[in-house]
Amino acid sequence: WCLMLFRWGAFVATTVPPLKMTCEQLEDVGGLNNNSQGICDGLFHIPALKLDCTLQGHTACQIFMLFLLTLPFALPQLYHQYLALVWLLIYWGATYAYQTLNELGEQAQKRQNNDMMLHMGLLILALGIGYSRKFSLEKSMRKQFVGQLRQRQAMAPLYLMFKEMVPEYVIPRMLNKEVIADPRGTVTVLFVLIDNFGDYTREKQNPQSSLKFLNACFDKMDTICAKYKVTKIETVQEEYVACVGVTMEEQSIDHKVLLSKLLKAAAEILAVKEVEVEGGQKVAVSFKMGMHTGSIVAGV
């Protein structure tokens, strides 16, 4: 839009005084008011005949054409391109009014009529080229948007799967194939071990029952960690790992506050004595846990 405003400024500055000669000055230097054949006569004779001293001259028409050709890159939507027709009508009306209000003479009147038709034809052609360019631009942008939307929809299940495996804030970086190795100054990691998992598997001797038991325990810990905004890191066999102080949002928070949340989550997990597996059956559970605070490198 800065470029558009510059073009409008140039449109006026190059066609009207004081930066542009008046019609009387142009007629004098163009040799229309005398029979002299000076150096300037050849340069300004045609502009004087074509009335290139007003907004109806060929210089203004060329700048207006340039404006119409660059308009597609400034307008946000294709339907806005139709507003340029209003400008063309205003320009044609101003040209006709200038021709009517000024006594130009028979020859000048004839030249003005021919020039007006030529200018309008050129401007309509420029508008048509600009419209086709805007149409192709909007079509390509729409195609790109639809492609990105379909890609996001296709990656949504993958995103949800990753969400159960790693902290959510690293998933976009993983999808962009970014190397993740973030140093963190102060982090507290919580390790939770299902203490009676070995006894349960030996008792049941059924892989399906063992996995249902693990899922029930991990779902319970997920709920508690989400309640206290503790970041889940991973599960390894019967071990659950969570931490505080690793996400970008937590870097500006006092670690004492984060540690208090982790301790509350750990206490609530430790207080769980039984979990409900599929079918409403309740199974006794016991946990062992430990914590460590220090600097780490968080990587995937």
Side-chain angles (χ1 to χ4, degrees):
W1 282 106
C2 293
L3 180 60
M4 295 295 103
L5 292 175
F6 174 78
R7 293 273 170 78
W8 273 115
F11 178 70
V12 176
T14 57
T15 51
V16 296
L19 297 180
K20 183 75 173 180
M21 287 186 292
T22 64
C23 293
E24 291 77 10
Q25 292 172 337
L26 190 62
E27 290 176 356
D28 290 337
V29 299
L32 297 185
N33 294 336
N34 52 62
N35 296 325
S36 62
Q37 294 293 326
I39 298 178
C40 296
D41 293 355
L43 295 175
F44 295 100
H45 185 71
I46 297 299
L49 288 175
K50 298 294 185 180
L51 294 177
D52 195 25
C53 52
T54 65
L55 294 176
Q56 288 72 40
H58 61 266
T59 300
C61 179
Q62 292 170 1
I63 297 177
F64 200 5
M65 286 177 61
L66 186 61
F67 179 82
L68 292 175
L69 291 174
T70 55
L71 194 60
F73 300 97
L75 294 177
Q77 297 292 337
L78 178 64
Y79 64 86
H80 292 146
Q81 190 79 17
Y82 295 109
L83 296 176
L85 289 172
V86 179
W87 297 346
L88 284 180
L89 293 176
I90 294 175
Y91 182 76
W92 181 83
T95 303
Y96 182 79
Y98 179 84
Q99 174 182 325
T100 304
L101 297 176
N102 292 272
E103 298 180 359
L104 302 177
E106 184 177 352
Q107 293 296 327
Q109 184 78 21
K110 185 176 180 180
R111 288 193 300 269
Q112 182 71 358
N113 290 335
N114 294 335
D115 288 346
M116 185 170 65
M117 297 302 296
L118 176 62
H119 290 176
M120 287 302 299
L122 292 174
L123 292 174
I124 292 175
L125 176 63
L127 180 61
I129 295 174
Y131 180 87
S132 62
R133 180 58 179 166
K134 183 62 180 178
F135 178 80
S136 61
L137 282 174
E138 187 163 312
K139 184 178 180 181
S140 63
M141 292 174 64
R142 189 182 300 274
K143 184 177 179 180
Q144 182 181 4
F145 172 78
V146 172
Q148 291 176 350
L149 180 62
R150 289 177 178 174
Q151 184 180 10
R152 287 197 297 268
Q153 291 174 345
M155 294 180 69
L158 183 62
Y159 188 93
L160 294 176
M161 182 179 66
F162 280 148
K163 189 176 178 181
E164 298 298 324
M165 299 169 59
V166 297
E168 188 174 0
Y169 79 99
V170 302
I171 298 177
R173 299 168 64 185
M174 290 177 59
L175 296 177
N176 291 329
K177 299 181 180 180
E178 179 182 343
V179 177
I180 303 173
D182 302 331
R184 294 289 185 261
T186 305
V187 175
T188 299
V189 183
L190 171 68
F191 303 91
V192 183
L193 186 68
I194 304 175
D195 191 29
N196 64 329
F197 178 70
D199 297 336
Y200 183 83
T201 55
R202 283 191 295 270
E203 178 186 348
K204 295 295 183 180
Q205 295 185 354
N206 185 342
Q208 292 182 349
S209 298
S210 298
L211 288 175
K212 289 177 182 178
F213 178 61
L214 279 178
N215 286 333
C217 294
F218 289 153
D219 286 343
K220 188 67 175 179
M221 287 186 271
D222 284 343
T223 302
I224 295 173
C225 287
K227 175 182 176 181
Y228 292 100
K229 297 183 179 179
V230 174
T231 303
K232 174 187 176 182
I233 299 300
E234 63 179 352
T235 58
V236 182
Q237 296 181 356
E238 71 270 28
E239 186 177 14
Y240 187 94
V241 183
C243 71
V244 291
V246 70
T247 64
M248 294 299 298
E249 294 78 7
E250 292 174 334
Q251 301 308 301
S252 59
I253 303 176
D254 188 0
H255 195 70
K256 294 179 181 179
V257 177
L258 301 176
L259 187 58
S260 66
K261 296 194 302 182
L262 184 61
L263 290 172
K264 291 177 182 178
E268 189 166 331
I269 292 173
L270 199 58
V272 176
K273 299 303 180 182
E274 59 182 14
V275 293
E276 185 176 332
V277 297
E278 187 177 352
Q281 180 185 1
K282 293 186 177 181
V283 180
V285 63
S286 61
F287 300 106
K288 291 194 303 187
M289 61 179 58
M291 292 185 186
H292 180 74
T293 300
S295 60
I296 64 168
V297 174
V300 178

